[in-house]
Amino acid sequence: MFATRIAKFARHAASLMLHFAHGGLLVAGLVLTLFVASRIANHGVQGLSIESLTGSSQASISAVDEAAAEPEAEIIQAAEAVSPAKLSPDLQRVKTYVAKRYQVSAVALEPLLASAQQTGRSVGVDPLLLVAVMAIESRFNPFAESPMGAQGLMQVIPKFHPDKVDVKSDKSALFDPETNIRVGALVLKEYIQSTGSVERALQQYGGVGDPSAPYASKVMAVKAMLSQVARSGGRIVGA
């Protein structure tokens, strides 16, 4: 009877610990408490020693520690995976310039430039070229839409690029900055490869039908300015 009462008390204490537990240490204590209660119920109080309890429960506590460590590691990895890319010093200077030049919040620009940086590097297109296209096409408005149906930061026309974005299942896909920048970069990459020239690729991207190529000239002029900002520590010579 005494052993039964001890076992009931231990189970009650364990339930309270589970209710207030936070962290692997209290979980380990819970396991040890349940173990002690089980041993008392099965074998009685006499015959149990601290050494036997400690030795027998060590494996259980180790197992709890390992189980607790695994999800913690997964959480850290997941957090690192979704963390936004840090802007390079050059793009930090570009951000300051663009925010002032185009009257856009630097806070709002940060993820846009980070996406241009990451996408440009992965696709193989100069990130500053992507930023220059955004400046000309939308002035960094992710919700811009033209009468011709061009959408988002880089004014991508979805019906021309069904292989890169499925707007039938998600009509707002190109208003997502990351998606828009990725699709725009892929389009530019294809045009550069097919034409053999950045200028001709730009003209195909946004200036079809205009042989004088003002569109390409405007984008390249903005890119040259951004490059100067990046190299000169944010100072514009003659500005």
Side-chain angles (χ1 to χ4, degrees):
M1 292 297 293
F2 176 73
T4 302
R5 288 197 297 271
I6 291 295
K8 289 182 178 179
F9 174 77
R11 285 194 293 271
H12 180 66
S15 66
L16 290 176
M17 288 177 64
L18 181 61
H19 181 72
F20 293 105
H22 182 73
L25 183 60
L26 286 182
V27 173
L30 172 59
V31 171
L32 182 57
T33 302
L34 292 174
F35 175 79
V36 172
S38 175
R39 292 294 297 271
I40 291 174
N42 292 332
H43 303 289
V45 177
Q46 294 182 353
L48 290 180
S49 66
I50 295 299
E51 290 78 6
S52 65
L53 290 176
T54 303
S56 301
S57 61
Q58 187 62 44
S60 299
I61 295 175
S62 298
V64 171
D65 290 340
E66 292 177 1
E70 289 180 1
E72 182 179 356
E74 293 176 359
I75 292 171
I76 292 173
Q77 291 175 357
E80 291 176 348
V82 300
S83 296
K86 185 177 180 181
L87 289 181
S88 67
D90 286 355
L91 277 175
Q92 285 286 0
R93 291 187 283 268
V94 166
K95 179 186 72 173
T96 301
Y97 167 78
V98 168
K100 183 177 180 180
R101 170 68 177 80
Y102 294 92
Q103 298 182 359
V104 181
S105 164
V107 174
L109 279 172
E110 180 95 17
L112 306 185
L113 299 190
S115 182
Q117 174 179 270
Q118 185 172 355
T119 300
R121 290 173 177 174
S122 62
V123 173
V125 177
D126 188 342
L128 290 182
L129 182 62
L130 301 180
V131 177
V133 170
M134 284 188 272
I136 294 298
E137 290 286 357
S138 66
R139 295 181 69 89
F140 304 98
N141 177 9
F143 305 111
E145 185 169 17
S146 77
M148 298 296 294
Q151 297 177 342
L153 290 165
M154 297 187 68
Q155 289 292 276
V156 178
I157 300 178
K159 66 180 180 180
F160 293 157
H161 309 287
D163 58 320
K164 298 178 181 63
V165 61
D166 183 10
V167 295
K168 290 183 179 180
S169 60
D170 183 4
K171 293 183 179 180
S172 65
L174 285 172
F175 294 110
D176 172 66
E178 289 189 9
T179 300
N180 193 281
I181 293 171
R182 176 182 58 80
V183 174
L186 290 172
V187 173
L188 276 174
K189 179 69 173 181
E190 281 189 3
Y191 290 170
I192 291 171
Q193 291 175 334
S194 63
T195 64
S197 163
V198 173
E199 287 79 4
R200 286 195 291 270
L202 286 170
Q203 198 60 23
Q204 185 174 346
Y205 186 92
V208 176
D210 188 352
S212 61
Y215 176 83
S217 299
K218 287 190 291 185
V219 174
M220 293 304 292
V222 172
K223 181 180 179 296
M225 182 63 70
L226 297 177
S227 298
Q228 183 182 348
V229 171
R231 291 193 307 268
S232 62
R235 298 183 300 276
I236 303 300
V237 177

